[in-house]
Amino acid sequence: MWVFKPIAFAGKLLSAFRLQLSCVWSSLVSLLLGLRAAFRLAGTESSRHQSRKAAAETRREEEEGMNQPPTPLSVNYHFTRQCNYKCGFCFHTAKTSFVLPLEDAKRGLLLLKEAGMEKINFSGGEPFLQDRGEYLGQLVKFCKEELHLPSVSIVSNGSLIRERWFRSYAEYLDILAISCDSFDEQVNVLIGRGQGKKNHVQNLQKLRTWCRDYRVAFKINSVINRFNVEEDMREQIKALNPVRWKVFQCLRIEGENAGEDALREAERFLISDEEFEGFLHRHKEVSCLVPESNQKMKDSYLILDEYMRFLNCRNGRKEPSKSILDVGVEEAVKFSGFDEKMFLKRGGKYVWSKADLQLDW
Ligand code: SF4
């Protein structure tokens, strides 16, 4: 018996101690759980605060960006609306015959250069129509020789270009883009790309040769529409080997080729996005192809009209700003509707100087 008592006492002591320990342990666990929850809450609050701060920062940057006028890096100057062709979907029609005096046009180009312009593209109408290409030649020379612009280019239907023009002005020109929508002359006639007996496709071949001979980068622009959407142009384009083949989806512009006051009716030329995708898919092996859907095209060009007003296409029609000759570039460009992000997204900034293109003529 005398052995049993101390053991029983020790057992009692131990169980009392265990009871104490389990109380302490459970208090500790609740304390730790409480602390963890408090830390988590603090962490969530702080990360919420951080994301609120970042969102406010982005908003502020966006607002600042919106208030800042875009830089007119690449400008399309449609100095004339007159043309010798009658394309049914034309979206810069002959609404006026006005052309600025040469010296005023040069003044405007200087203002654009001072505002950051690096590339000028002359377009129309048909830019070679005015003064048999002399007016255009003078502007091209001025932009390269006096303004030292990295890139000077022209978009033309090609029908009025003579070799003598190349002899006088090719050295000042980086890129010549010729519009060609079909290699089937009948389709060109249906579209309205043609004048009398002139063969648009044969002319294209001649211009390609001159571009090679006189060291001008050669480009082709095609508008995909109801009449050419099924065509396969792979072989002809590869044979002509342009530096770029711009493929546009036929675009509807109120007041130009749609609506009551329009001079053209584009409705019967329009194609769906799926049809456009189908054309692109058929030509996907052509490496120089640069596609432009309606979506990409609409607000991603800085368009200057014959009065040197920026044309805003945001509302589906061309709404003019004031002329840069009257209010300056910074003020006028605010109303251009230009989407700088889309311009970059569609690859608007590319190697555009013939010196950098390193062509194997
Ligand atoms: S060639 Fe160009 S400017 Fe002339 S009618 Fe055709 S699309 Fe219009």
Side-chain angles (χ1 to χ4, degrees), residues 83 85-87 89-92 124-126 157 193 264:
C83 186
Y85 278 15
K86 288 190 171 53
C87 306
F89 48 70
C90 180
F91 50 79
H92 203 75
E126 173 45 48
N157 65 35
R193 279 218 198 272
R264 294 285 195 282

Side-chain angles (χ1 to χ4, degrees), residues 275-289:
E275 287 174 301
F276 184 60
E277 282 304 318
F279 182 91
L280 297 179
H281 184 72
R282 195 177 321 123
H283 294 85
K284 63 178 187 302
E285 68 189 57
V286 183
S287 58
C288 59
L289 192 159

Side-chain angles (χ1 to χ4, degrees), residues 228-272:
N228 63 1
V229 68
E230 300 300 336
E231 196 169 324
D232 183 347
M233 307 184 188
R234 283 175 292 179
E235 291 315 309
Q236 292 92 337
I237 294 288
K238 280 190 214 165
L240 285 162
N241 191 24
V243 289
R244 265 163 98 82
W245 179 32
K246 264 283 186 77
V247 174
F248 303 96
Q249 182 181 359
C250 187
L251 180 67
R252 183 185 194 279
I253 296 274
E254 193 72 21
E256 294 284 350
N257 61 20
E260 277 181 10
D261 52 342
L263 295 179
R264 294 285 195 282
E265 180 54 77
E267 212 59 49
R268 67 196 174 98
F269 292 91
L270 299 178
I271 54 167
S272 67

Side-chain angles (χ1 to χ4, degrees), residues 78 80-94 123-127 155-158 179 181 191-194 200 223 264:
H78 297 248
T80 177
R81 282 178 170 268
Q82 298 295 305
C83 186
N84 56 330
Y85 278 15
K86 288 190 171 53
C87 306
F89 48 70
C90 180
F91 50 79
H92 203 75
T93 52
S123 186
E126 173 45 48
V155 175
S156 160
N157 65 35
S179 309
D181 304 329
I191 290 171
R193 279 218 198 272
H200 192 73
V223 178
R264 294 285 195 282

Side-chain angles (χ1 to χ4, degrees), residues 297-355:
M297 201 177 156
K298 206 167 66 66
D299 309 315
S300 67
Y301 285 85
L302 265 179
I303 304 172
L304 207 59
D305 77 355
E306 63 278 13
Y307 299 97
M308 288 197 151
R309 306 177 299 185
F310 287 108
L311 296 180
N312 184 332
C313 302
R314 291 243 163 174
N315 298 322
R317 56 183 304 122
K318 290 178 169 175
E319 289 160 343
S321 69
K322 289 187 175 153
S323 172
I324 62 169
L325 297 173
D326 297 331
V327 297
V329 176
E330 204 170 288
E331 194 52 34
V333 82
K334 281 185 201 161
F335 298 91
S336 63
F338 178 56
D339 184 342
E340 216 165 4
K341 279 190 191 143
M342 186 54 99
F343 165 74
L344 295 170
K345 196 173 158 192
R346 74 162 165 84
K349 175 99 180 74
Y350 59 99
V351 183
W352 51 32
S353 157
K354 67 178 169 184

Side-chain angles (χ1 to χ4, degrees), residues 6-270:
I7 291 175
F9 176 74
K12 273 186 184 166
L13 197 66
L14 197 61
S15 79
F17 193 59
R18 259 198 213 127
L19 201 68
Q20 291 283 346
L21 258 182
S22 81
C23 280
V24 171
W25 181 244
S26 64
S27 307
L28 255 177
V29 168
S30 349
L31 185 69
L32 281 172
L33 283 173
L35 274 173
R36 194 172 69 168
F39 277 129
R40 270 203 188 144
L41 195 68
T44 318
E45 267 309 303
S46 131
S47 71
R48 270 197 204 127
H49 177 70
Q50 292 290 349
S51 30
R52 272 201 298 270
K53 212 172 136 189
E57 195 104 312
T58 315
R59 249 195 327 273
R60 190 178 51 77
E61 278 171 15
E62 276 176 7
E63 276 165 15
E64 275 177 14
M66 274 157 65
N67 292 335
Q68 265 191 4
T71 306
L73 199 65
S74 172
V75 177
N76 295 276
Y77 177 25
H78 297 248
F79 64 80
T80 177
R81 282 178 170 268
Q82 298 295 305
C83 186
N84 56 330
Y85 278 15
K86 288 190 171 53
C87 306
F89 48 70
C90 180
F91 50 79
H92 203 75
T93 52
K95 298 197 135 190
T96 72
S97 56
F98 181 81
V99 176
L100 274 173
L102 191 62
E103 288 313 309
D104 286 348
K106 286 183 180 175
R107 182 163 67 86
L109 290 165
L110 174 61
L111 292 176
L112 286 161
K113 154 87 186 189
E114 287 168 350
M117 177 173 71
E118 287 184 19
K119 179 180 191 290
I120 182 76
N121 179 56
F122 295 107
S123 186
E126 173 45 48
F128 282 87
L129 198 58
Q130 180 71 18
D131 199 14
R132 297 179 171 214
E134 272 308 300
Y135 183 92
L136 174 63
Q138 289 301 315
L139 291 184
V140 164
K141 187 175 177 186
F142 173 74
C143 284
K144 189 55 91 177
E145 206 174 50
E146 301 199 30
L147 299 186
H148 306 288
L149 290 184
S151 183
V152 181
S153 66
I154 298 172
V155 175
S156 160
N157 65 35
S159 61
L160 302 172
I161 310 178
R162 304 283 168 263
E163 190 173 5
R164 125 174 131 247
W165 193 94
F166 274 87
R167 278 198 291 271
S168 307
Y169 300 111
E171 64 178 297
Y172 311 111
L173 182 64
D174 290 276
I175 304 168
L176 176 64
I178 302 296
S179 309
C180 177
D181 304 329
S182 176
F183 291 91
D184 178 344
E185 201 52 27
Q186 288 309 310
V187 175
N188 283 327
V189 172
L190 276 175
I191 290 171
R193 279 218 198 272
Q195 191 193 24
K197 291 197 178 74
K198 283 179 185 166
N199 185 309
H200 192 73
V201 178
Q202 280 172 8
N203 197 43
L204 187 70
Q205 187 58 57
K206 186 178 69 185
L207 290 164
R208 206 284 161 255
T209 309
W210 286 342
C211 279
R212 190 175 289 130
D213 294 348
Y214 291 91
R215 303 275 198 268
V216 174
F218 177 69
K219 185 177 159 186
I220 298 176
N221 285 355
S222 301
V223 178
I224 307 310
N225 61 80
R226 177 62 48 223
F227 296 91
N228 63 1
V229 68
E230 300 300 336
E231 196 169 324
D232 183 347
M233 307 184 188
R234 283 175 292 179
E235 291 315 309
Q236 292 92 337
I237 294 288
K238 280 190 214 165
L240 285 162
N241 191 24
V243 289
R244 265 163 98 82
W245 179 32
K246 264 283 186 77
V247 174
F248 303 96
Q249 182 181 359
C250 187
L251 180 67
R252 183 185 194 279
I253 296 274
E254 193 72 21
E256 294 284 350
N257 61 20
E260 277 181 10
D261 52 342
L263 295 179
R264 294 285 195 282
E265 180 54 77
E267 212 59 49
R268 67 196 174 98
F269 292 91
L270 299 178

